[in-house]
Each structure stands twice: as structure tokens, then as C-alpha cells.
Amino acid sequence: MQGVDLDAVVAAMRAEGNDLADVEAKRALDGFPDSIAETLSAFSNTPGGGLLVLGLDERSGFSSVGVYDHVRAQAALASAARRKVDPPATFTSEAVDFEGHRLVVARVHEVSSAHKPCRVKASGRAYLRSYDGDYPLSAVEEQALLAGRGTPRFDDEPVAGAAYEDLSKDLVESYVEACRATPGPLATMSDQEVLFRTGVLVGDERTPSVAGLLLLGVYPQQFLPNIVIQASSAPHPSDPPGTRAGDAARFDGPIPRMLDEALRWIQRNTRRRLRSGADGHNRDEPEYPTVAVRELLSNALIHRDLGPHAMAEAITVKLEPRQLVIANPGGLYSLTVDRLGKEGVSSLRNQRLARIGQNVRISSGNARVVEALATGIPTVLAELTAAGMTKPRFHDQAIRFAVQVPNHTLLGADDLAWLARLSSAADLSDVHRHALVIMRHGGELTNRALRETFPMDSREAQATLRSLVDLGLVDGVGLAGGRTYRLAARASLAGESLAHTDTTPSATATEVAVPTPPIRGRQVAPRHPGARAENIERILDVLRAGEATAAELVDRAALTPNQVSYALRQGVAEGVVVRRGGQGRRTTYSTPARE
């Protein structure tokens, strides 16, 4: 099928050991699979649809076994699409030869929002795709899909029990002033008339609308208690044992305040980094570009689902060791992920909220809650590019939307100089560069390790590693599913030659390394013996604060399970680590000083 790299798809499933979020493999050697209806329903309801591969056996590591009869299998699939789900599923299919067997590959298309949810006729249940399988929608989730059949107007609804007095005097004054500054009829209207004509107040009783209260209310959560932002950060290795989160917070109040406070919280819980520009001056930059973060927070607040089915859910912000994740209830409305970031492309779930937000400013500075329609994601992409960071990953799950912003460890001058000497330097992406540096310092990567370090799916990880092999910079060792990647001799020699040359990078901007948690690549002992001693020191730093299990050491020392296991064995052998426990007791470790 056009646009389908079956080699990459199968390699990704073998590396993952499971089906993928948008790929389902089914054995069809002995006949047509029975569980096809649930998959057709799930892919039909999932943004972007999905890929169905008949003829792979998951139980034997997704080996190619072929289909019983490719013509009859395609006919059976067409019959199931028409007869087993409602509305009927649509798909395109093709029989292809793969590893000596004939497979059937079908692209199942997403149904129109006007016809969701697609249900299995036999059970009446609707399904959605998640990670490696199909799961039935709850009644609330079905309501979310039903609400998407028309243009949402939940933000225009009056808030029961609210009155004009529940609006903030200062916010109203600023908003009305901004509305009157624009040439037009609003310039000569009274305050109450401006609020009514712009949808802040609605109905004969001039009741605050959902949009008006959220943007200009004194305390909207009095009436809408779950329209908040829940934030949490991953614990730091130095935090006390048992710490589940480094800093947790709940932000409420009107949207301008939530936006401002959440932005400050992210800045407070992230590092700053040094970057030397072309003019030779060092500059102090935030770990995540402020403008980009503000746009992402604003998007989550403005585009979240405000239907009754979504009112129990909050927006979430998570600061993880390698990424910032912002998620909100409600998927993309009348828009697909591949169109995000295109100039002039916009689709508004909450039209009233967005329009009012253009004349509301956050408390710090003069930035508007909504700067301009259709420019938010392009601004995010431009800001991250300017900061030398990888593009964010967007996930539309129909009932929820999330964005992941990777945060890559900055590279030191020596590493940058080494990368510059590689003949393929011009073809390297940001992820390529960091993966190579991991390997340069003694690490080896697997598909899973790369995904744990840089947020991506299995196919992207497979493509990234394969491209490094194609460039001759990395060697792949082992079979699919257990394949590891390490630096090729060619790249190693490039690094060794630097010892006799000037190590000043030729790039116009130099990144200055700052202390960060280590990247989770498995260590290869012969390549960097100093890394083993460093890992023991990390573990000893944790153990000096108290006993810990191996699992706790993985989190607190920011090491992989293999690194912890090896360092513990060496530490016990050298007498610097004490192993406690035994049969029937949990195994813990401590330092001799705690005997």
C-alpha cells in the first residue's frame, strides 16, 4: 500500500513486543479472525484510523505466517466492515508478499465525526484504540463522541446560579477597554452592553456564560469546580525516600490567573541553561522556551472540552525527567494532527471562549490569553526550533489531547566538535546527535531505550536507529526484537582524532553542558570504564540518606535497572555496599556506615 513501510511497521512491533497504537496484527493462517469487529470499531473511532495486518503471528514474535487465502480474506474483511459494525467501516486493502508469505494489509479509515461512535452490532459497544489494543468506551466517553457530531456551544451556555457580581471588576474593566480600543460599534456601548454583545453575559437575565465566567470570573470554580490545572513534577534523586512527586500544585481562578501561575510553576521547577551565541556572549535561557510553554498552556485552556461529559476532568501538566506533558479533555475538533502547525489552519471547539480571550490579558506582562487565531502551534514550533529542540509530539485520542515536549540534555563543546567532524553531520537531527553522544560515552541503545529517552513511538525509533546504521555511524547487533546499537568504528575513529586537533566547535552557537540526569542507555563496560565508578558513586549518594531497594535506586539515582544491578554487585564485592534481607524479607541495600 502507498505510504506504508511494512518492513518498518513489523520491525517496530517486534521491537515493542506488542501491537502498536495504530497497528493491529492478526493471525489468519487457519481462517478469518473472529475478533475483527472490535478492531474495525476502534480504528473507525480513533483519529487517523489504523493499519490492520493479517498474516502475522503475535505469539511467535510477529513472525510472517501468511493468510489462508488472500482473496477470500479480503472479501471476508469487506463483509465484516459492512455487516458487523455500524456505521460501516471503510478501508483500502492490498495483498503483499512479506518474508516468503502472502499477507493482507488494510488501512481502516476514521469515520466522520458526524457518525461517531462506530459500534459493534452484536454487542452495541463502541471501541477506541489505546496503545496495543481495543478498549470499550465508557458511557461518558461515548457522550464525548456524540457531542462532536455538531458544533459545540457549551462555552455559550449560561452558568446556573452565577450573576454579574461574580465577575472580577478589574478583569471586566480591562476587557471592556480592550474591546472599545478596536474601531467599531463596541466603542460607543456601555460596559453591560459590551459584555452582552460579546457573549460574556447571555440571556434575558444577563447571566455570565461559561466562557465569560472562566475568563473574567472572580472564582469560576465556585460553579465549575474541575476546570483547573493539576500539575506535578517527577521526584529528584535527592528527594526523601517514598517521594512520589517533586512538586504538586493545583491552579484555579480565572483562566488568565491559571495560565500565569502554571507558567511560573513550570519555570520554577525547571533548570536554566547557558548558550553561547555567535557574538561570543553567554545567555541564560529557560529549559523550555517561555513563549512556547505559554502557547501550549493557552491552547489546553481554550480548546479543552467543556461539555457535561468532560466537566469532571482537569487539565494536567507533568514535568518528567525527559519531557513536559500537557493534556486536556477533548480531542482535536474538526482538525487532524498532521495539519497542526500549518499557517492559517485553525479549528475552534470553543469559539466564544477564543473570541473573548483575544481581549483578555494574563496578569504578568501584556500578553493576551489568545494572541491570534491559527498562530499558536506555528509559534510553538518556531520557538522550539530556535532553541535547538526537537518538535513536540501531539496525540489526539478523540476524547483527550496531549502534547509532549522533549527536553534533551545539552551537549558539551567536545561532543559538538566530535559531531562536527562526522562526514554525515549535515544529515543529523537533534535526536541523532544525542543518540550518538550516548554511544560515544560507552552506551548502547535499543528501540525501547531510545523511546524512553526521547518521546517517540516504536516506528520512529526504528527509523532513527536504522538511519544511523545507513549513514555508517552505528552498528546493529542481534535479531529484531532484541537488537542493540552501538557506535561504529568509523565514528569512534573520528572521536579519537579529536585528541590531536582543536576541539573548538565550528558551529556558530555553542551549547554549554549543565548537570542533568543521565540518559538511559545501557552501559557497555569495555568502552567507558569510568562510568561504572560514577554509577557506584550515584548509588552511594542515595544510600547515605537511608536504605533503598534496587527499584528505588533506579528512580533516585536516575540509572537503568542494568546499571543499578551491575553497580550493586560491584559495590557489594568491594565492601562499600551492604546487602540486607533474605528469605521472606525484602532485599535492601545500605552503606557500611549504617551498620
Side-chain angles (χ1 to χ4, degrees):
M1 297 178 66
Q2 287 188 343
V4 176
D5 185 345
L6 191 56
D7 287 330
V9 168
V10 176
M13 286 191 291
R14 289 172 177 171
E16 180 70 18
N18 277 309
D19 294 309
L20 307 178
D22 59 345
V23 183
E24 173 77 15
K26 291 186 179 294
R27 179 184 169 89
L29 181 61
D30 306 314
F32 195 72
D34 295 329
S35 59
I36 205 72
E38 289 82 358
T39 299
L40 291 173
S41 168
F43 280 150
S44 295
N45 290 324
T46 300
L51 197 68
L52 177 63
V53 184
L54 302 179
L56 294 177
D57 187 1
E58 181 177 358
R59 292 173 297 180
S60 60
F62 295 96
S63 61
S64 177
V65 296
V67 296
Y68 64 103
D69 183 305
H70 68 89
V71 175
R72 291 170 58 194
Q74 287 177 281
L77 182 60
S79 176
R82 288 193 304 268
R83 300 173 183 275
K84 292 192 174 184
V85 293
D86 183 34
T90 61
F91 67 92
T92 55
S93 67
E94 182 179 344
V96 299
D97 291 320
F98 183 77
E99 296 182 352
H101 297 91
R102 182 63 61 92
L103 309 183
V104 171
V105 182
R107 170 68 70 184
V108 182
H109 306 298
E110 177 188 4
V111 302
S112 166
S113 297
H115 298 102
K116 288 182 180 179
C118 175
R119 303 178 187 275
V120 175
K121 286 184 178 181
S123 65
R125 299 298 303 269
Y127 291 79
L128 201 63
R129 192 71 180 171
S130 177
Y131 183 51
D132 65 344
D134 315 315
Y135 73 91
L137 291 171
S138 67
V140 172
E141 291 169 334
E142 285 197 28
Q143 286 299 312
L145 293 185
L146 288 169
R149 289 185 170 184
T151 302
R153 299 296 297 269
F154 299 114
D155 56 334
D156 257 335
E157 294 290 327
V159 178
Y164 174 77
E165 290 72 27
D166 293 305
L167 300 180
S168 164
K169 180 180 178 181
D170 291 340
L171 288 174
V172 166
E173 185 177 291
S174 173
Y175 172 75
V176 170
E177 182 181 348
C179 289
R180 289 185 178 140
T182 303
L186 295 177
T188 59
M189 293 182 185
S190 67
D191 290 4
Q192 286 267 345
E193 191 71 5
V194 169
L195 295 176
F196 177 70
R197 296 297 178 183
T198 59
V200 175
L201 301 176
V202 295
D204 295 338
E205 301 297 324
R206 298 297 195 265
T207 303
S209 65
V210 170
L213 188 68
L214 285 175
L215 284 162
L216 304 177
V218 174
Y219 188 67
Q221 289 72 28
Q222 176 183 350
F223 307 95
L224 307 169
N226 293 313
I227 308 298
V228 298
I229 298 177
Q230 295 282 5
S232 62
S233 63
H236 189 272
S238 62
D239 288 336
T243 301
R244 292 189 174 184
D247 186 7
R250 177 181 184 272
F251 305 110
D252 53 15
I255 283 178
R257 182 183 184 277
M258 285 194 283
L259 178 55
D260 197 30
E261 291 299 316
L263 183 60
R264 291 178 183 274
W265 179 87
I266 291 173
Q267 292 172 330
R268 185 173 68 249
N269 282 277
T270 52
R271 300 175 296 272
R272 298 189 68 83
R273 59 185 188 175
L274 293 175
R275 184 186 290 270
S276 177
D279 57 6
H281 294 291
N282 290 334
R283 292 177 175 82
D284 194 17
E285 297 180 347
E287 189 170 0
Y288 295 98
T290 301
V291 173
V293 173
R294 185 178 65 231
E295 289 290 345
L296 292 174
L297 289 170
S298 175
N299 278 353
L301 287 161
I302 295 298
H303 296 293
R304 68 151 291 158
D305 195 337
L306 292 170
H309 50 272
M311 282 304 199
E313 292 191 62
I315 293 169
T316 59
V317 174
K318 295 182 180 179
L319 273 173
E320 300 176 354
R322 303 299 304 165
Q323 63 182 349
L324 166 66
V325 183
I326 301 174
N328 60 267
L332 293 175
Y333 173 71
S334 189
L335 190 63
T336 55
V337 166
D338 61 313
R339 297 183 66 206
L340 284 176
K342 303 291 192 301
E343 289 288 351
V345 174
S346 177
S347 183
L348 298 174
R349 175 186 297 277
N350 304 309
Q351 297 184 32
R352 183 68 67 191
L353 196 66
R355 298 295 179 184
I356 296 174
Q358 287 184 290
N359 284 313
V360 177
R361 289 172 168 78
I362 62 176
S363 56
S364 62
N366 200 38
R368 300 172 186 266
V369 171
V370 179
E371 285 291 351
L373 299 179
T375 63
I377 298 301
T379 297
V380 171
L381 298 178
E383 288 290 317
L384 293 176
T385 299
M389 299 174 70
T390 298
K391 292 180 181 179
R393 286 181 50 78
F394 301 105
H395 301 272
D396 183 7
Q397 296 176 299
I399 55 177
R400 195 162 184 80
F401 182 79
V403 57
Q404 297 171 287
V405 185
N407 171 31
H408 300 166
T409 306
L410 292 178
L411 303 177
D414 181 60
D415 288 326
L416 287 172
W418 172 71
L419 288 165
R421 289 185 60 85
L422 298 176
S423 60
S424 306
D427 300 319
L428 299 177
S429 69
D430 192 34
V431 174
H432 283 141
R433 297 192 309 155
H434 285 81
L436 285 169
V437 169
I438 294 173
M439 298 182 211
R440 184 193 182 205
H441 292 290
E444 65 178 17
L445 286 174
T446 62
N447 183 292
R448 182 180 294 275
L450 187 65
R451 287 184 284 113
E452 289 175 351
T453 304
F454 307 109
M456 62 178 68
D457 61 32
S458 293
R459 275 176 291 176
E460 290 176 294
Q462 184 69 23
T464 298
L465 293 167
R466 182 189 294 176
S467 63
L468 289 173
V469 172
D470 292 341
L471 290 170
L473 300 175
V474 168
D475 293 328
V477 181
L479 300 176
R483 196 169 179 82
T484 59
Y485 298 82
R486 59 189 60 171
L487 203 62
R490 167 191 167 191
S492 296
L493 290 173
E496 290 174 5
S497 66
L498 285 175
H500 308 289
T501 60
D502 180 10
T503 59
T504 302
S506 58
T508 57
T510 300
E511 295 169 288
V512 180
V514 293
T516 56
I519 300 173
R520 291 179 177 264
R522 293 194 302 177
Q523 293 301 310
V524 184
R527 294 182 177 271
H528 190 45
R532 293 177 295 188
E534 180 184 344
N535 293 344
I536 292 175
E537 285 303 317
R538 286 182 178 275
I539 284 175
L540 289 175
D541 285 343
V542 175
L543 295 180
R544 290 184 184 106
E547 293 186 9
T549 65
E552 290 168 341
L553 287 170
V554 169
D555 291 332
R556 297 179 199 169
L559 297 172
T560 67
N562 284 347
Q563 288 173 321
V564 168
S565 177
Y566 184 88
L568 285 173
R569 287 199 303 271
Q570 187 174 353
V572 170
E574 295 177 2
V576 296
V577 173
V578 176
R579 184 178 186 275
R580 301 178 182 277
Q583 187 173 1
R585 294 180 57 197
R586 187 177 70 162
T587 300
T588 60
Y589 299 87
S590 69
T591 62
R594 299 185 62 84
E595 289 282 16

